[in-house]
Amino acid sequence: MNQIARSHLIMFLFALSFLVPSLEASEGDADPIYKTCLEDCEKSGCVGEMCFQHCKFSSDGKPIDGPWYLQEPLYQKWKQWDCRSDCRYHCMIAREEQRWKLGGKPIKYHGKWPFQRVYAIQEPAAVAFSAISLAIQFHGWLSFFILLNYKLPLRPDKKTYYEYTGLFHIYAILAMNFWFWSAVCHTRDVELTEKLDYSSAVALVGFSFILTILRTFDVRDEASRVMVAAPLIAFVMTHILYLNFYKLDYGLNTKVCMAMGVANLLIWGVWAGITSHPSRWKVWLFNVGGTIALLLEIYDFPPYKGFIDAHALWHAANIPLPYISWSFVRDDAVFRTSTLLKKTK
């Protein structure tokens, strides 16, 4: 095993050692002051001097004074910022202010860090970073499409010479789909948006893993591609069905995504070390950025000023990666097209 492969294997094993999350309940859930605040809010509809309109619910979540349409405005019901979620949020913020005055550090409530809302957006920094990544993905895909169809020569049947065109179009759709649902989920994380976020994430990482194998091993035969892709697609689809219809397991989904993500970095890193591709340095640059992003996803710390936590920084670190990856893909399309044209002459 050469030095490059050995270094990437060490990185892979190091990352895997952090993939087992803590199974303990959030500390904030058991806080007696927080629990008392929730109980009082559900009875009175108030947290301190702040009161919520139509907010009288029993402990099981059913309205006391009539049906839901008399308790919550329709637009609030659509956003699912209902009485209970407002009580949880404002009790959490009130309790964190008390802890801060006493010199305490932020703690998690219901499995999540305490974030400050901005215009009803739950995690504004993550939403902004996801939207930027979505825009960069779209720009990268559009530039790839224009390059292939309007700048590079086409075959006599009007198809492109680049053998991975269709695969990268699918990748672009999955990537834009993921960043869209990431922005939606961080705006308001309810069960539906979490399922869509987790499912789109593992679908993107899974397809990226397939694409990595096909490109780095130069698999161009359709039958061979099917043999490689079929078991991985079956695994990813089974995992998505598990998340949606059996258990929405964030910890398991993180393990699966990180394992495939690290494998992607490892394979591309080894390929860049042995290939003579003129743009291999962009693969190295992407691997460095991907490793930094991976470490931010593994390392967890509370949000600074209630806005920026490790996951938000992971989103920020991901912003330049689509630009680098699409730049390499365009270069690869030019390189492969020129190589094939030379062979046909």
Side-chain angles (χ1 to χ4, degrees):
M1 182 182 292
N2 60 34
Q3 186 65 30
I4 296 172
R6 187 180 296 111
S7 64
H8 279 81
L9 180 60
I10 293 172
M11 179 187 71
F12 176 74
L13 296 175
F14 174 76
L16 286 181
S17 68
F18 287 90
L19 294 184
V20 180
S22 175
L23 299 178
E24 298 178 0
S26 299
E27 185 178 351
D29 303 358
D31 186 285
I33 299 176
Y34 172 74
K35 292 170 67 175
T36 300
C37 177
L38 278 183
E39 293 172 0
D40 293 342
C41 180
E42 290 180 358
K43 293 176 183 177
S44 65
C46 299
V47 176
E49 298 181 355
M50 181 178 296
C51 296
F52 316 116
Q53 186 179 11
H54 311 301
C55 190
K56 290 186 179 180
F57 280 71
S58 61
S59 59
D60 60 359
K62 295 180 180 180
I64 296 173
D65 294 336
W68 64 268
Y69 53 81
L70 295 179
Q71 300 296 318
E72 299 288 345
L74 284 174
Y75 78 92
Q76 287 187 0
K77 198 69 179 180
W78 175 74
K79 291 189 299 182
Q80 295 201 31
W81 281 121
D82 53 19
C83 176
R84 169 159 292 186
S85 59
D86 273 334
C87 284
R88 283 185 173 184
Y89 172 75
H90 289 285
C91 283
M92 175 187 70
I93 295 300
R95 181 60 182 132
E96 282 301 299
E97 288 179 355
Q98 295 172 359
R99 291 175 52 82
W100 179 78
K101 291 178 181 178
L102 296 173
K105 296 181 179 180
I107 58 176
K108 289 186 177 183
Y109 297 81
H110 308 285
K112 301 181 183 296
W113 290 114
F115 284 92
Q116 293 280 355
R117 288 186 198 168
V118 176
Y119 297 109
I121 297 175
Q122 198 164 339
E123 298 179 40
V127 172
F129 296 147
S130 295
I132 295 172
S133 293
L134 173 60
I136 294 176
Q137 281 286 358
F138 176 75
H139 175 269
W141 169 74
L142 185 62
S143 62
F144 174 67
F145 179 85
I146 293 173
L147 173 69
L148 288 176
N149 292 278
Y150 297 100
K151 295 182 179 181
L152 293 179
L154 298 174
R155 297 177 186 268
D157 58 1
K158 300 303 180 182
K159 292 183 179 180
T160 64
Y161 281 95
Y162 190 49
E163 310 97 321
Y164 304 94
T165 300
L167 293 172
F168 276 108
H169 285 326
I170 297 173
Y171 168 81
I173 293 171
L174 291 174
M176 290 185 287
N177 177 69
F178 164 66
W179 289 115
F180 173 79
W181 288 117
S182 173
V184 171
C185 182
H186 288 93
T187 299
R188 179 71 174 101
D189 64 333
V190 296
E191 184 177 0
L192 175 62
T193 58
E194 285 184 344
K195 285 181 177 180
L196 290 167
D197 182 36
Y198 297 172
S199 299
S200 60
V202 74
L204 173 60
V205 177
F207 187 80
S208 298
F209 189 37
I210 294 171
L211 187 52
T212 294
I213 295 172
L214 297 181
R215 179 60 191 92
T216 56
F217 288 92
D218 199 19
V219 182
R220 285 174 279 177
D221 179 67
E222 290 298 327
S224 300
R225 287 183 173 186
V226 171
M227 290 178 64
V228 171
L232 292 172
I233 291 174
F235 169 75
V236 171
M237 290 303 299
T238 301
H239 179 69
I240 290 174
L241 290 172
Y242 175 88
L243 292 176
N244 284 273
F245 299 105
Y246 183 71
K247 183 181 180 182
L248 187 60
D249 192 330
Y250 173 77
L252 175 63
N253 195 56
T254 301
K255 293 177 188 178
V256 170
C257 289
M258 283 194 173
M260 289 192 291
V262 171
N264 276 334
L265 294 177
L266 176 64
I267 294 172
W268 275 114
V270 173
W271 179 84
I274 62 177
T275 187
S276 58
H277 197 289
S279 296
R280 60 188 179 275
W281 66 271
K282 293 183 180 180
V283 176
W284 284 113
L285 184 61
F286 181 90
N287 268 19
V288 171
T291 302
I292 293 173
L294 180 67
L295 293 175
L296 286 171
E297 184 71 353
I298 293 171
Y299 183 62
D300 191 22
F301 58 82
Y304 177 73
K305 301 293 185 180
F307 294 105
I308 304 290
D309 70 334
H311 187 65
L313 289 179
W314 174 82
H315 281 276
N318 271 281
I319 289 175
L321 298 184
Y323 181 83
I324 298 170
S325 62
W326 281 113
S327 177
F328 169 78
V329 171
R330 290 193 300 270
D331 292 349
D332 190 45
V334 173
F335 176 71
R336 292 295 305 166
T337 299
S338 62
T339 301
L340 290 172
L341 287 174
K342 288 178 183 177
K343 290 181 179 180
T344 58
K345 292 180 179 179

